[in-house]
Amino acid sequence: MSGMASDHNTSSQEEFLPHYLQKEDPFASKLSREADILAGFYLTVIGILSTLGNGYVIFMSSKRKKKLRPAEIMTVNLAVCDLGISVVGKPFSIISFFSHRWVFGWMGCRWYGWAGFFFGCASLITMTAVSLDRYLKICHLSYGTWLKRHHAFICLAIIWAYATFWATVPFAGVGSYAPEPFGTSCTLDWWLAQASVAGQAFVLSILFFCLLFPTTVIVFSYVKIILKVKSSTKEVAHYDTRIQNSHILEMKLTKVAMLICAGFLIAWIPYAVVSVWSAFGQPDSVPIQFSVVPTLLAKSAAMYNPIIYQVIDCKFACCRSGGLKTLQKKSSLKKSRYFLL
């Protein structure tokens, strides 16, 4: 009886494996020990910087939480997503790389796959919402008059519900999470597309709703914003100082959002391309040693956002201080002229 149970358990686990790993230990590293140690150090540095950076962003935002604008609330949500990836996910992969194999079994693999996809999906959908907010704010000025903080919180609830739904769908038997080809990490089972029509439908649904559609909205929004800014820069110059200052702040938030989206997409698109090729290309066409590079690049995405915040804030502060000095010079000139008269 115990032999039959073990055979059944093994066969059920093989359903979650790419076809070329079913006759091997799926959790044994396919990389050299030196490569695993190097990847472990890389992820450790990324994890520490990401945790400190995003923790700092959240801490500083909490000090002025009642003054946060809707767009800033969304960027804080991005920091929460990135911190979640760093704290919940990265320790699993770091320990596994240093151990030269995945050491957390099937339950750990599915948890790690779920957490990575959940926070990654929430990040991308948050950036989609931010890009729409920026598009409406810059290209349709009347939109800004009715958008309030509670609208941003409603949007956050929708984002987290959306991410929860798509990350949990594989547990309903529609898809699954499986080890990466190199063995020391786990992800969505892209290889189901090679096994059945249902697997293809699952992979295509994930690609459309969690990658292609959000990315299309982001690109559309920022292309429209760039075109609008080029045509309206001269118009803003004729407005009074208060409107100009408001425009500068909106453009600062827009630059932050654009850079965040660009960093995220640059980090994740190579991984998405390799995953799609693994799902629909020829079996074994992606070398195992090559597949680890896009994975490590994608895991670095959580580190970029705090750097972007700081760079833009420094530039904004310099511009603001320069503007103040100019105003002070103008006021002193006006005073001298008044006394001369």
Side-chain angles (χ1 to χ4, degrees):
M1 290 292 288
S2 61
M4 291 177 63
S6 62
D7 291 341
H8 175 73
N9 191 32
T10 301
S11 63
S12 64
Q13 289 177 350
E14 286 185 350
E15 295 176 1
F16 296 92
L17 289 174
H19 64 91
Y20 52 83
L21 290 180
Q22 291 184 2
K23 295 182 180 179
E24 304 177 18
D25 181 357
F27 298 133
S29 176
K30 309 305 184 294
L31 305 174
S32 66
R33 186 171 292 277
E34 292 76 13
D36 274 336
I37 292 174
L38 183 62
F41 275 116
Y42 167 80
L43 288 181
T44 300
V45 173
I46 293 294
I48 292 173
L49 292 177
S50 175
T51 301
L52 294 176
N54 288 292
Y56 175 77
V57 170
I58 295 170
F59 173 73
M60 295 303 293
S61 300
S62 66
K63 288 187 171 183
R64 51 185 294 269
K65 56 185 176 182
K66 293 183 179 180
K67 297 181 180 179
L68 291 175
R69 301 160 67 91
E72 292 174 312
I73 292 173
M74 297 301 233
T75 55
V76 172
N77 192 60
L78 279 176
V80 172
C81 294
D82 291 339
L83 185 64
I85 291 174
S86 301
V87 173
V88 176
K90 280 191 173 59
F92 286 81
S93 54
I94 291 171
I95 293 171
S96 295
F97 273 115
F98 281 127
S99 301
H100 198 48
R101 64 175 290 110
W102 180 263
V103 296
F104 300 100
W106 278 102
M107 289 298 293
C109 181
R110 290 162 192 158
W111 160 252
Y112 177 85
W114 180 90
F117 184 53
F118 171 71
F119 286 114
C121 182
S123 293
L124 183 57
I125 303 304
T126 301
M127 284 184 279
T128 305
V130 170
S131 68
L132 277 175
D133 171 76
R134 296 292 86 205
Y135 163 69
L136 294 172
K137 187 76 175 181
I138 301 297
C139 300
H140 302 277
L141 298 179
S142 60
Y143 164 79
T145 60
W146 65 265
L147 181 69
K148 306 300 180 185
R149 284 166 55 92
H150 68 271
H151 292 118
F153 290 115
I154 293 172
C155 188
L156 291 185
I158 295 172
I159 289 168
W160 288 110
Y162 191 93
T164 301
F165 172 78
W166 285 109
T168 310
V169 160
F171 292 127
V174 180
S176 65
Y177 294 100
E180 297 268 16
F182 50 88
T184 47
S185 181
C186 294
T187 185
L188 280 168
D189 192 349
W190 301 104
W191 303 271
L192 283 174
Q194 298 180 359
S196 65
V197 175
Q200 292 177 0
F202 164 72
V203 171
L204 288 173
S205 298
I206 291 292
L207 286 173
F208 179 78
F209 289 104
C210 300
L211 179 63
L212 295 179
F213 177 69
T215 302
T216 301
V217 173
I218 290 170
V219 172
F220 167 82
S221 299
Y222 289 123
V223 168
K224 285 288 189 180
I225 288 170
I226 291 170
L227 295 176
K228 180 67 176 179
V229 168
K230 284 185 177 180
S231 64
S232 63
T233 302
K234 294 181 179 179
E235 297 177 10
V236 175
H238 298 292
Y239 296 155
D240 60 34
T241 305
R242 184 176 178 183
I243 294 177
Q244 287 180 3
N245 290 340
S246 176
H247 179 76
I248 291 172
L249 179 57
E250 293 300 335
M251 291 311 302
K252 175 213 168 185
L253 295 174
T254 303
K255 287 178 181 179
V256 169
M258 290 178 70
L259 287 172
I260 288 171
C261 291
F264 185 90
L265 294 176
I266 289 170
W268 278 98
I269 283 178
Y271 178 78
V273 170
V274 170
S275 298
V276 171
W277 188 262
S278 300
F280 298 102
Q282 292 296 321
D284 308 338
S285 58
V286 179
I288 290 177
Q289 290 75 11
F290 177 76
S291 67
V292 71
V293 177
T295 303
L296 294 177
L297 178 62
K299 292 179 187 297
S300 69
M303 180 186 68
Y304 303 149
N305 294 351
I307 298 173
I308 293 170
Y309 299 148
Q310 293 304 313
V311 170
I312 295 294
D313 278 341
C314 287
K315 287 185 177 180
F316 184 66
C318 290
C319 293
R320 190 165 49 189
S321 62
L324 285 174
K325 288 178 181 178
T326 304
L327 288 174
Q328 287 174 354
K329 287 180 180 178
K330 287 182 178 179
S331 63
S332 63
L333 285 171
K334 285 182 179 179
K335 288 180 180 178
S336 61
R337 288 175 183 171
Y338 173 77
F339 286 119
L340 285 171
L341 291 171

